[in-house]
Amino acid sequence: MSDCIFCKIIKGEIPSTNVYQDEHVTAFRDINPAAPTHILIVPNKHIESVNFVIPDDEALIGKLFAVAKQLAEKEGVSESGYRLVVNTGAEAGQTVFHLHMHLLGGRPMRALG
Ligand code: 5GP
Ligand code: ZN
């Protein structure tokens, strides 16, 4: 989508610190990190949120987890632990409407609630 900030990052039209990219998935460091490791893992295809995932996207969504696992190892948080978060909709705190998975690690996390 032309006015989507993550689509622009994926296409290299605005700067980002990329840590992974292939033909389906891009990962880059969050501009406002909430933990020592804070990476956003996004499908290159513009999908607004989990609400817009279709059956054809299932392999792509699975790939987000495979990339998360790989990046967690690279960041050295696999053993200590990390959190994967997908905010969906305004009430959950989604602010960018291009589906993304947060990979957070490097500090203890509080319980959800
Ligand atoms: P959400 O709140 O939608 O789950 O997460 C959006 C995330 O995108 C936020 O953590 C925010 O800091 C990050 N973000 C927003 N704009 C940019 C940007 O231009 N570059 C990068 N690297 N991260 C961004
Ligand atoms: Zn987009």
Side-chain angles (χ1 to χ4, degrees):
M1 238 175 63
S2 56
D3 61 344
C4 171
I5 194 158
F6 286 181
C7 281
K8 287 181 181 159
I9 285 175
I10 291 158
K11 287 188 249 167
E13 290 173 4
I14 64 167
S16 59
T17 307
N18 288 9
V19 291
Y20 181 90
Q21 187 158 47
D22 67 21
E23 68 174 309
H24 299 296
V25 175
T26 299
F28 49 91
R29 296 201 187 276
D30 197 292
I31 204 167
N32 184 22
T37 291
H38 189 170
I39 292 170
L40 301 171
I41 304 165
V42 312
N44 294 345
K45 175 187 174 189
H46 181 86
I47 302 171
E48 268 190 50
S49 77
V50 172
N51 288 343
F52 293 84
V53 170
I54 58 171
D56 260 9
D57 297 328
E58 284 174 12
L60 177 59
I61 299 303
K63 183 83 197 273
L64 301 181
F65 281 88
V67 172
K69 175 196 173 185
Q70 193 178 313
L71 291 175
E73 281 167 6
K74 216 166 164 185
E75 293 284 307
V77 298
S78 290
E79 295 300 316
S80 50
Y82 55 96
R83 187 170 281 182
L84 300 175
V85 176
V86 182
N87 295 324
T88 304
E91 204 162 297
Q94 186 177 5
T95 58
V96 177
F97 284 82
H98 179 130
L99 194 155
H100 51 279
M101 176 184 277
H102 296 255
L103 164 56
L104 295 150
R107 66 163 172 83
M109 308 264 166
R110 282 184 297 275
L112 298 175

